[in-house]
């Protein structure tokens, strides 16, 4: 199985959500980051996943500037592999692993190569010959409805039905917008909320993170709950 993790935009909590999903997927899981930018500014996403989830990881392209991958590459005059090469490497990994989780960069239409290829293109190509699940990580607060619906509609335009919405960095105390969006997000998108990652989860010790991850991904089976 190939699982794609995308987000409505940068900073919504994709990396921590990816780590939680990797814990839930269990042994035999590898997490892939096709393109990582901003090397040297913060801990790389793939390192965060490895630390929190303790799973195997792979990173295909590293770029120095904290920009969209194609922008970061063009700024430095660097050629980066096209989406087709990423897809081939992911297919090869899928031959020997139970689950391959692919974390995108920014939102669904951020260009991952200098030829204009996006995570949406990557997911579409992989779905031709592999089962693919796509999860959309989104915010709980004000502004999320528009961003989430646009992302879901983009996926459906390629005949990819999202497997679920993941709320990233949910505050301990919900405001009016967050309370309303628990019902509004599934209503306007037609996609269920399948997980809620509490704010600050990425700062937990790995043992605590792994112990709690399953509860975050099961929190919406019987109503909203994060712990």
């Amino acid at each position: 199985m190939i699982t794609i993790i995308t987000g409505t935009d940068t900073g919504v909590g994709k990396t921590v959500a990816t780590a939680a999903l990797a814990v839930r997927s269990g042994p035999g899981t590898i997490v892939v980051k096709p393109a990582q930018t901003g090397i040297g500014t913060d801990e790389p996403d793939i390192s965060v996943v490895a630390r929190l989830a303790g799973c195997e990881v792979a990173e295909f392209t590293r770029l120095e500037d904290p920009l969209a991958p194609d922008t970061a590459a063009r700024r430095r005059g660097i050629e980066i592999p096209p989406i087709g090469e990423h897809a081939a490497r992911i297919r090869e990994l899928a031959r020997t692993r139970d689950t391959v989780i692919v974390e995108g960069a920014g939102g669904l239409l951020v260009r991952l190569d200098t030829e204009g290829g996006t995570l949406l293109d990557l997911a579409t190509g992989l779905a031709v010959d592999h089962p693919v699940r796509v999860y959309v990580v989104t915010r709980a607060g004000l502004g999320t409805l528009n961003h989430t619906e646009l992302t879901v509609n983009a996926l459906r335009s390629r005949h990819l039905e999202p497997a679920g919405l993941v709320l990233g960095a949910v505050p301990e105390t919900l405001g009016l917008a967050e309370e309303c969006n628990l019902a509004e997000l599934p209503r306007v998108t037609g996609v269920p909320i399948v997980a809620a990652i509490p704010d600050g989860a990425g700062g937990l010790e790995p043992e605590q993170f792994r112990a709690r991850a399953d509860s975050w991904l099961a929190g919406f089976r019987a109503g909203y709950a994060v712990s």
Side-chain angles (χ1 to χ4, degrees):
M1 172 64 70
I2 297 174
T3 298
I4 307 289
I5 309 296
T6 190
T8 51
D9 59 287
T10 296
V12 296
K14 287 190 306 298
T15 299
V16 176
T18 297
L21 287 165
V23 172
R24 183 72 175 271
S25 298
T29 297
I30 183 171
V31 173
V32 174
K33 184 80 174 181
Q36 174 68 57
T37 61
I39 297 301
T41 56
D42 294 299
E43 183 181 10
D45 292 347
I46 210 68
S47 298
V48 173
V49 171
R51 173 172 54 81
L52 292 175
C55 64
E56 186 180 0
V57 298
E59 185 180 72
F60 294 166
T61 298
R62 308 188 91 194
L63 298 159
E64 182 178 351
D65 298 306
L67 302 166
D70 71 321
T71 305
R74 286 187 289 103
R75 186 172 185 271
R76 300 278 178 173
I78 298 171
E79 288 293 327
I80 55 178
I83 287 296
E85 290 187 23
H86 292 331
R89 294 180 69 177
I90 292 167
R91 288 189 181 96
E92 187 63 28
L93 290 171
R95 292 179 55 194
T96 57
R97 274 73 170 188
D98 295 331
T99 302
V100 179
I101 300 177
V102 181
E103 182 192 352
L108 188 64
L109 299 183
V110 169
R111 288 165 171 78
L112 300 181
D113 64 26
T114 48
E115 296 180 2
T118 66
L119 186 66
L120 181 57
D121 295 321
L122 180 60
T124 303
L126 290 170
V128 170
D129 51 16
H130 277 81
V132 170
R133 291 180 299 193
V134 183
Y135 291 96
V136 177
V137 183
T138 187
R139 304 181 194 278
L142 196 64
T144 192
L145 299 180
N146 179 66
H147 294 163
T148 307
E149 194 165 3
L150 286 170
T151 301
V152 168
N153 287 347
L155 286 164
R156 287 177 175 152
S157 74
R158 299 286 188 90
H159 308 290
L160 293 169
E161 181 62 25
L165 305 178
V166 176
L167 298 182
V170 180
E172 184 175 354
T173 302
L174 303 183
L176 177 62
E178 288 86 0
E179 289 279 7
C180 290
N181 286 338
L182 297 181
E184 290 301 295
L185 279 165
R187 185 183 71 82
V188 302
T189 64
V191 181
I193 297 172
V194 298
I197 312 298
D199 189 25
L204 293 172
E205 292 298 320
E207 294 77 11
Q208 293 178 306
F209 184 90
R210 296 168 202 172
R212 298 182 188 180
D214 193 66
S215 67
W216 304 330
L217 274 66
F220 280 84
R221 290 177 179 169
Y224 175 75
V226 294
S227 58

